[in-house]
Amino acid sequence: GISGFGQALDSRFIGSMRVLTGSLPDQYGDRTSGVVDIHTKRGQLTPSSTLSFYGGSHDTVRPSAETGGTQGNATYYVNASYDSNSLGIENPTGDRTAVHDRTQQYKGFGYYSLVLNPTSRLNVIVSGSRADFQIPNNPAQEPAFTLDGVSQFDSTALDEHQREKNAYTVVAYQKTAATASVQVAAFSRYSAVHFTPDPVGDLIFNGVASDVKRDVVSNGLEVDARWLATDNHTVRGGFIATTDRATTGTATSVFAVGSDGQQSSSVPFTIADNQRKRARTYGVYAQDEWQLGDRVTLNYGVRADRIDAYTQESQLSPRTNLVYKISEATSLHAGYARYFTPPPLELLQTRDIAKFAGTTNGSEIPLSSAVRAERAHYFDLGLTQKVSRTFSLGFDSYYKSAKNLLDEGQFGQALVFSPFNYRTGKVYGVELTSNYTSGGFSAYANLAVSRGTGREIVSGEFQFDPAELAYIATHDVRLDHDQTYTLSSGVSYHWRHTLVYADLLYGSGLRRGFANTEHLPAYSPLNLGVERMFVLAGDRKLRARVEVMNAFDTSYQLRDGSGIGVGAPQFGPRRAIYGALAWTF
């Protein structure tokens, strides 16, 4: 959907989760950065109800409830939660508290499964969320424009808001036979965002006050099938068809400017710019999983995709993956994938550039080429080693070479990312993982070293500064989300009904400055926690948890407002203490 600051998915409904990366098999198309594979809680596994409360620092109040069970051939699970706090969006300052940053969020999720007969099942998933945000203010900002009738304005008094809504429904029919299975799924999604400006303050500080509405309605059908052709060949195939309708409506108050680009009038006027677009995407794939003896598995296939939106594009994408089990403790994997990634229609920022000529919302670059699909070659090579019964290691390396590399940035006042293309791009790196588990003690450490670059902006040019656009045309610049070193580590100890844990995240700093030529300082917040479970009468249980986030109260900056597509400064949260109670009955 339209990605803003709210989380459309509530982690409470997750039963188990894994992240798939590397050269993905053919059934995964369109969004190929990775797959978050979520298996929800289900009634037959959690036939109980839970009431929980989480709260603490930043005026956090977060109650939730969930229940699940079975009735005959039917299984159900539902979840609902509410969240209110005063740190809804990253603080633009390093202070402990943010100014004008309250959020209220509502989420609901439901899963229903009906066994029709021993070989078929019907599943229904529904979810909805709504999030209201105050946009945090940055004190002591200097006015940049003159508004008729207003002599002064305090930037801490700005009153901007953003509302985000997301809802989706999936209905899936599954049929399984001895050597074959099929799933037919229909889905529908609605996503919307509405940014409300401060009509006075935004004009004084930015020269522009835009009321921005975006929404998208998506409907689609997906069919996936599996056939065990022989003992060592499993054939898979399927297709997906999706239609999207995106609508953008803006009402923008601006000032007139003279030929020198300076404000020529202190009386604002409003320009309406409304856009509507339909898009259709199609994908079809076929692949074969071939067992070459007991140690080697080869997965090869091909995928075909097409998009019909602002551009009409298509691609045939071969993919292959090889897993070689060298020994019981050592496994090698290698793969190649051709990727075709259409830009998300709901995030495309369109503008009638001519309407804003001669205003404070005009662009020095009167060009807005259409955002195109990214086409990439992706290579992956890795090794996993089980050193002992308790200790394992992993190594993975990757390299992506892309044409029309897609990236996203925040352009304009609405806090929504908009995609654009680099003509060429490269992303490559290595990842090291380690895990240790013995009795009640467990520990992990992961290190990622990466580099991502792009050259020459070839779409959405009007959003960029001329000097920066000219520099990027002749230089490989670092991508704005590129961080050279990232380390995550954690330890936990579980003894009887008590769990203590700590985790640390280290980052070498995201990009900043002209054309991302610099980076911010490193940061390393440490989090601590303890949880205790109390077994009550019957099957009832009570869990209590206390956690300290950023235990050393470090002030660290994630963004400083500079760089490619960065809208505002952002600091990580200072030390915060939270408590949680969960009653299961």
Side-chain angles (χ1 to χ4, degrees), residues 357-387:
T359 75
T360 45
N361 198 36
S363 174
E364 296 181 73
I365 305 295
L367 180 62
S368 179
S369 303
V371 182
R372 304 185 67 85
E374 177 185 296
R375 303 170 187 269
H377 298 279
Y378 189 94
F379 302 88
D380 179 68
L381 177 66
L383 182 74
T384 58
Q385 175 70 45
K386 191 171 184 179
V387 180

Side-chain angles (χ1 to χ4, degrees), residues 163-203:
R163 173 171 291 178
E164 301 170 10
K165 297 179 181 179
N166 284 279
Y168 65 87
T169 300
V170 181
V171 179
Y173 172 77
Q174 298 171 321
K175 179 72 174 179
T176 301
T179 60
S181 62
V182 64
Q183 175 175 276
V184 180
F187 54 90
S188 182
R189 181 190 69 194
Y190 170 76
S191 185
V193 63
H194 182 193
F195 175 83
T196 306
D198 185 310
V200 174
D202 282 354
L203 282 168

Side-chain angles (χ1 to χ4, degrees), residues 214 248 309-310 343-350 371 417-420:
R214 291 188 184 187
T248 300
Y310 287 98
L345 179 72
E346 61 270 20
L347 299 184
L348 293 178
Q349 180 167 319
T350 58
V371 182
F417 290 115
S418 296
F420 61 93

Side-chain angles (χ1 to χ4, degrees), residues 243-270:
T243 178
D244 302 279
R245 188 196 71 212
T247 303
T248 300
T250 63
T252 305
S253 296
V254 294
F255 296 113
V257 299
S259 58
D260 58 356
Q262 300 300 309
Q263 181 181 0
S264 61
S265 172
S266 61
V267 179
F269 58 97
T270 301

